[in-house]
Amino acid sequence: MTDGARSTLGKLERWGTAAENASLVLLLAAMMIVAVGQIVLRLFFNSGLVWADELLKMMVLWIAMIASVAASRSNRHLRIDVLSHFLPPQVSRLPRLIVDAFASFMCGVIAWQSLRFVLLDYEFGDTVLVDIPAWMAHGIVPLAFAVMSYRFLLLFIREGISLVRHSRRRPPAS
Amino acid sequence: MIALSILLLVLAVFGAPLFTVIAGSAMLGYHKEGVDLMAVAVEILGIAGMPFLSAIPLFTFAGYLLSESNAPKRLVRLTGALLGWMPGGLALVSLAACAFFTAFTGASGVTIIALGAILYPALQQDGYPENFNLGLVTTSGSLGLLFAPSLPLILYGVVAEVSIDDLFRAGVLPGLLMLLMLSGWSFWVNRGNRRPLKSFSLREVGAALRESMWELPLPVVVLGGIYSGFFAVSEAAAVTALYVLIVEVFILREIRLAQLPTVMRESMLLVGGILIILGVSLASTNYMIDAGVPQKLLAIVAELVTSQTTFLLLLLVFLLILGAILDIFSAIVLVVPLILPIAAQYGVNEAHLGIVFLAAMQLGYLTPPVGLNLFIASYRFDYPIMRVYAATFPFLVILTLSVIIITFWSGLSLWLIPD
């Protein structure tokens, strides 16, 4: 990898983290304000916004998607974590390599399938939240899975490189 | 087909993110039935169709904020002032404070880190045996799971479509039973050291109350609001999150504004992990129900089991094994939809089933080899994992006893639920 390519990737990484953090902060803040605002309206004005409930649910979807991209960056997805606790680090590298390749593939497939669905949304001109195009609201799903697929691919490449380096460096058996 | 399913299992054991394994099995199923794989995408969008789900990110965020502030210290002081006069006071204080904190922070392991760090050195200093302290702190990390508004309770309610209010009521007495039995064990172990923590002082209670005056309204508003039916659980979560944010960041200023994005991100990592599994599980559950898996399971179970008691026994054994392998959140979304119809056939109340499910899964936090609390404690207090296994074992036995009682005494769960 050239230095130029590496620094571009590094930049992408930092921008990605910043974008995740910013959207999580905004979504959480908006969620609190909408939900509490709805309570205030209900209690003091005996009214409410008809679309507030649907908006909150849509925000949960967005948080779920963006937070799971963040979880894949920080390697915090829920998993059955037996091997890494009991195998020496060198040995557990190979299963991890396989697993990262599989995760990248699976996320890619989901990204593709949900993109097909979102394109249908677009074609039919479906709307959510009164008149927001559905493809915008649902578009987060293919986007998030595509980014996760890319993240797991990076992990796979990184693991692969260190596996190759490690086996080269190992002293010959005496 | 079978080969591919086995491959998925192997990948899961290798440590593949569970959501990818679940998505893989759902797609395999859809493919076999000739359903367009796009259906998986539609099911994931189902996250946006579930009621009350916003409670999960909001409560988790509030819990992380609290654990980053000095609230754990204040909570320990207040519990100490109220309970410290009893013999073996500090052990009781630890159990009560941890249970309360876990309920509010959703049983994600933050209790061991936030409270254990204060309680463990205090227990050592007070002359309690080292193994007892280690076991106590490790166990306390998931104690309180059955009390409102813990995340697993909410998640069970959403997945099983059971009234979350009923679940919050059902958890109270079983949760107290666990606390009582562990307290009894603590008394017994430390019968040689019946020193109270300190003598009771109204002045200390007053000072501790004053110190925590900003947090005191929280349990009142949240629990009072939910139990009285004034707030839906998602509304209570929003009020809690906003209130905690204002208090800890702007009034007490224990968390700097610049820290806020980090705390938010940190708390959302867990939420993302849970919700994405929920999303792909909607797809796999849908496939399994279409394929009649619950009926087939029921047919197998019906061969083996005729009475409710034997069914509960079988269920308990199954859940204990499940808890040793899977984390509580994945177990809820994956398994509950399958056992719910079977349990109904045996006349098990769905709120009681939820309490049994969560109580049994709570043991999973402490079961070797992969119990989450064991690793957090080993890491946090710097003990070899085998030592933590050994120290926690007596507590695990006591909790297992309590889970058996909770399972077979359904009245305990159902007592507080109005008909």
Side-chain angles (χ1 to χ4, degrees):
Chain A
M1 211 186 290
T2 62
D3 281 353
R6 188 165 295 168
S7 84
T8 315
L9 275 184
K11 234 181 245 167
L12 214 61
E13 193 82 28
R14 276 196 302 280
W15 285 348
T17 314
E20 281 158 29
N21 291 357
S23 26
L24 287 176
V25 169
L26 286 177
L27 280 166
L28 265 178
M31 216 169 179
M32 285 185 266
I33 292 167
V34 172
V36 173
Q38 189 77 346
I39 299 170
V40 171
L41 283 179
R42 174 165 67 94
L43 289 186
F44 298 105
F45 303 96
N46 221 346
S47 71
L49 303 166
V50 270
W51 43 263
D53 196 43
E54 199 188 346
L55 177 62
L56 279 173
K57 286 177 176 170
M58 206 48 90
M59 287 197 280
V60 173
L61 176 73
W62 277 63
I63 284 191
M65 288 301 127
I66 296 167
S68 68
V69 172
S72 70
R73 188 187 301 278
S74 308
N75 198 13
R76 287 274 292 275
H77 272 293
L78 298 171
R79 54 180 87 218
I80 298 176
D81 202 5
V82 202
L83 295 190
S84 68
H85 290 308
F86 298 102
L87 288 181
Q90 290 96 312
V91 185
S92 68
R93 260 209 189 111
L94 188 66
R96 224 181 303 154
L97 192 73
I98 299 169
V99 155
D100 286 336
F102 168 72
S104 175
F105 168 74
M106 244 10 265
C107 289
V109 174
I110 301 173
W112 168 241
Q113 295 299 342
S114 45
L115 180 67
R116 284 179 56 217
F117 181 75
V118 170
L119 288 176
L120 281 185
D121 271 342
Y122 183 75
E123 211 172 290
F124 292 124
D126 290 342
T127 57
V128 289
L129 289 169
V130 190
D131 57 356
I132 308 231
W135 65 269
M136 281 188 188
H138 296 163
I140 189 69
V141 178
L143 182 66
F145 278 101
V147 176
M148 279 193 273
S149 176
Y150 162 78
R151 299 273 342 147
F152 285 117
L153 185 67
L154 275 192
L155 282 177
F156 169 75
I157 294 170
R158 228 170 266 163
E159 285 292 332
I161 290 173
S162 64
L163 192 72
V164 170
R165 277 203 189 133
H166 195 90
S167 57
R168 269 200 205 138
R169 225 180 280 150
R170 192 178 294 158
S174 53
Chain B
M1 188 71 200
I2 292 172
L4 280 175
S5 307
I6 293 173
L7 182 70
L8 280 176
L9 267 181
V10 172
L11 284 165
V13 174
F14 273 11
L18 279 172
F19 82 90
T20 61
V21 176
I22 299 165
S25 76
M27 286 189 173
L28 220 54
Y30 282 143
H31 180 72
K32 197 179 91 181
E33 304 279 299
V35 178
D36 190 331
L37 291 187
M38 198 164 64
V40 173
V42 180
E43 295 293 340
I44 291 172
L45 286 171
I47 295 178
M50 303 185 93
F52 307 123
L53 217 50
S54 57
I56 289 181
L58 291 170
F59 269 132
T60 312
F61 168 58
Y64 270 70
L65 263 185
L66 281 174
S67 68
E68 290 286 319
S69 72
N70 289 330
K73 234 181 250 166
R74 288 190 285 271
L75 175 62
V76 171
R77 182 176 175 192
L78 181 61
T79 333
L82 293 173
L83 296 178
W85 53 271
M86 296 205 236
L90 189 57
L92 291 192
V93 169
S94 308
L95 289 169
C98 285
F100 186 79
F101 199 72
T102 302
F104 259 85
T105 53
S108 49
V110 289
T111 308
I112 299 182
I113 294 170
L115 279 176
I118 305 168
L119 293 171
Y120 185 72
L123 284 161
Q124 295 283 67
Q125 207 179 10
D126 232 36
Y128 290 89
E130 199 175 338
N131 265 352
F132 171 80
N133 302 341
L134 186 59
L136 180 76
V137 175
T138 311
T139 311
S140 306
S142 51
L143 202 62
L145 205 77
L146 297 180
F147 295 132
S150 91
L151 291 193
L153 271 177
I154 297 173
L155 193 61
Y156 178 88
V158 170
V159 171
E161 294 174 13
V162 176
S163 145
I164 295 177
D165 294 6
D166 280 357
L167 284 171
F168 283 176
R169 288 198 176 83
V172 174
L173 294 178
L176 283 177
L177 176 76
M178 284 185 165
L179 260 181
L180 263 177
M181 287 178 67
L182 285 176
S183 305
W185 166 250
S186 303
F187 272 128
W188 171 252
V189 171
N190 299 300
R191 59 196 179 282
N193 174 15
R194 291 208 175 188
R195 199 150 64 87
L197 179 61
K198 49 188 154 200
S199 51
F200 185 79
S201 134
L202 260 183
R203 177 174 296 173
E204 169 62 13
V205 173
L209 280 176
R210 213 168 314 122
E211 196 185 60
S212 359
M213 68 177 212
W214 286 105
E215 278 106 4
L216 282 176
L218 266 184
V220 180
V221 170
V222 173
L223 301 182
I226 292 174
Y227 283 123
S228 68
F230 191 72
F231 284 141
V233 62
S234 47
E235 293 177 328
V239 172
T240 307
L242 192 62
Y243 180 83
V244 170
L245 177 74
I246 292 171
V247 167
E248 308 297 344
V249 177
F250 296 105
I251 297 181
L252 298 173
R253 297 180 184 228
E254 285 167 0
I255 292 167
R256 283 175 295 114
L257 205 54
Q259 258 174 289
L260 211 51
T262 320
V263 179
M264 284 182 164
R265 179 191 176 90
E266 206 41 47
S267 63
M268 287 307 109
L269 290 179
L270 175 72
V271 171
I274 298 173
L275 290 183
I276 196 156
I277 289 189
L278 178 63
V280 292
S281 296
L282 290 175
S284 74
T285 303
N286 210 346
Y287 160 69
M288 285 196 262
I289 288 173
D290 277 353
V293 174
Q295 287 87 328
K296 284 175 196 159
L297 277 178
L298 180 61
I300 298 170
V301 175
E303 289 275 304
L304 296 167
V305 173
T306 46
S307 74
Q308 195 194 55
T309 314
T310 28
F311 168 73
L312 284 173
L313 189 69
L314 190 72
L315 177 73
L316 196 55
V317 172
F318 168 71
L319 290 178
L320 292 181
I321 298 170
L322 187 72
I325 307 168
L326 270 189
D327 68 277
I328 191 166
F329 301 110
S330 314
I332 292 172
V333 295
L334 270 180
V335 179
V336 166
L338 296 182
I339 60 171
L340 209 57
I342 303 177
Q345 287 292 319
Y346 287 93
V348 179
N349 177 289
E350 44 198 13
H352 178 230
L353 179 72
I355 299 306
V356 171
F357 195 95
L358 299 188
M361 294 307 290
Q362 180 184 338
L363 297 179
Y365 277 91
L366 306 170
T367 332
V370 289
L372 180 66
N373 282 2
L374 301 168
F375 285 98
I376 297 178
S378 152
Y379 170 77
R380 184 66 188 72
F381 302 109
D382 205 17
Y383 281 104
I385 188 77
M386 295 312 281
R387 177 81 188 269
V388 184
Y389 286 173
T392 314
F393 187 72
F395 292 89
L396 183 61
V397 172
I398 303 282
L399 276 183
T400 309
L401 278 178
S402 74
V403 172
I404 293 174
I405 298 176
I406 290 167
T407 306
F408 292 102
W409 185 10
S410 62
L412 198 62
S413 312
L414 302 177
W415 203 310
L416 295 178
I417 300 182
D419 312 298

